[in-house]
Amino acid sequence: MTPSITSHQNAPGEDVILRTEGLSKQFMGFYAVRDVSLSVRRNTIHALIGPNGAGKTTCFNLLTTSIPATAGRIHYNGRDITRKDPASVAASGMVRSFQISAVFGQMSVLDNVRVALQRKGGGTFAFWRSDKTLDRFTPRARELLASVNLSGYEKHTAADLPYGRKRALELATTLALDPELILLDEPMAGLGHEDIGPVTRLIAEVAKQRTVLMVEHNMKVVAELCDRITVLQSGEVLAEGTYAEVSNDPRVREAYVGGGAHA
């Protein structure tokens, strides 16, 4: 029998950027997330996986404080952020990219990134500002577009981009906020087969200088990208380890195959 994989405990001196203790969320007597203790090491790619309804998205919402925890604590860079507001959490360097591409469709690719840079600079999303006001952000915006292979698209209207390019643009606008930790919610959702490889490589490149925590159903992508994986089932941690460890855990196999969920 394969040994059970228990929740990861930090080794002495291990550099952890995000840690939760007993994180729980209860809705009307039902626990969507229950007693989740999670450690994300700095400069790694960590995945949250699990069958549909396992609590992955709720966990993301808790980590970004978009919804309040019923119990437990969240520590980011050694600071307790459990009761912080989402804007403060984002300003501290933890930024979430959502499952559905979130770009301003009628704006140009370049302007999407310039507006994001404006926000990072302490401004507001003032779309009526003249191009001259945004010009000071253009050099950095072009650097970010180059980093996600969108240099040739800066004058395109965002709505006209192929879906994979929209995801790249969303990542560029996320990077404009200069995050230290990026939360990616199903980055491969809706992508055609031809886009998965480029977006996977893009995430790997971005992660060279940052920490990434991702929810993803594509197990080939998880296997290729992720240093460590936490498996959720019914809102609780089922297993944690490397891809090889969790994929060989009989409880994980049962959760996916026995539960009829897709991996």
Side-chain angles (χ1 to χ4, degrees), residues 160-236:
D160 295 334
L161 292 176
Y163 191 73
R165 299 288 183 180
K166 286 181 182 176
R167 300 313 295 262
L169 176 57
E170 183 188 26
L171 193 51
T173 59
T174 300
L175 294 176
L177 300 176
D178 197 23
E180 192 173 358
L181 171 60
I182 301 176
L183 277 64
L184 298 177
D185 193 355
E186 297 193 33
M188 304 302 158
L191 292 181
H193 179 74
E194 69 280 2
D195 290 322
I196 291 177
V199 173
T200 299
R201 290 190 291 273
L202 185 57
I203 293 170
E205 186 65 28
V206 165
K208 289 180 180 179
Q209 299 177 353
R210 296 169 181 84
T211 307
V212 173
L213 177 62
M214 62 190 294
V215 167
E216 182 53 55
H217 279 294
N218 188 318
M219 289 300 102
K220 183 177 179 181
V221 170
V222 170
E224 183 175 343
L225 280 178
C226 297
D227 301 291
R228 195 159 192 88
I229 299 160
T230 299
V231 185
L232 296 181
Q233 183 183 35
S234 302
E236 301 184 58

Side-chain angles (χ1 to χ4, degrees), residues 54-245:
K56 304 181 297 295
T57 297
T58 301
C59 194
F60 258 34
N61 289 337
L62 290 169
L63 294 175
T64 55
T65 70
S66 298
I67 59 174
T70 302
R73 314 302 297 176
I74 306 165
H75 297 269
Y76 170 65
N77 269 333
R79 299 186 299 273
D80 190 332
I81 63 166
T82 311
R83 303 303 174 195
K84 296 288 186 181
D85 63 277
S88 297
V89 171
S92 71
M94 187 197 304
V95 178
R96 176 178 178 177
S97 287
F98 288 85
Q99 182 176 349
I100 299 173
S101 182
V103 297
F104 300 108
Q106 300 310 308
M107 294 173 61
S108 72
V109 167
L110 180 64
D111 281 347
N112 265 275
V113 182
R114 294 199 302 178
V115 166
L117 286 166
Q118 171 187 288
R119 181 58 176 164
K120 173 61 180 176
T124 59
F125 289 123
F127 304 115
W128 59 87
R129 291 187 176 180
S130 66
D131 286 343
K132 185 177 181 180
T133 305
L134 292 174
D135 278 348
R136 65 190 178 100
F137 299 110
T138 299
R140 178 56 179 156
R142 285 178 169 153
E143 289 178 1
L144 289 168
L145 289 175
S147 74
V148 297
N149 301 316
L150 286 178
S151 293
Y153 292 84
E154 66 178 55
K155 294 183 179 179
H156 286 62
T157 301
D160 295 334
L161 292 176
Y163 191 73
R165 299 288 183 180
K166 286 181 182 176
R167 300 313 295 262
L169 176 57
E170 183 188 26
L171 193 51
T173 59
T174 300
L175 294 176
L177 300 176
D178 197 23
E180 192 173 358
L181 171 60
I182 301 176
L183 277 64
L184 298 177
D185 193 355
E186 297 193 33
M188 304 302 158
L191 292 181
H193 179 74
E194 69 280 2
D195 290 322
I196 291 177
V199 173
T200 299
R201 290 190 291 273
L202 185 57
I203 293 170
E205 186 65 28
V206 165
K208 289 180 180 179
Q209 299 177 353
R210 296 169 181 84
T211 307
V212 173
L213 177 62
M214 62 190 294
V215 167
E216 182 53 55
H217 279 294
N218 188 318
M219 289 300 102
K220 183 177 179 181
V221 170
V222 170
E224 183 175 343
L225 280 178
C226 297
D227 301 291
R228 195 159 192 88
I229 299 160
T230 299
V231 185
L232 296 181
Q233 183 183 35
S234 302
E236 301 184 58
V237 174
L238 178 66
E240 186 170 315
T242 65
Y243 179 80
E245 289 170 335

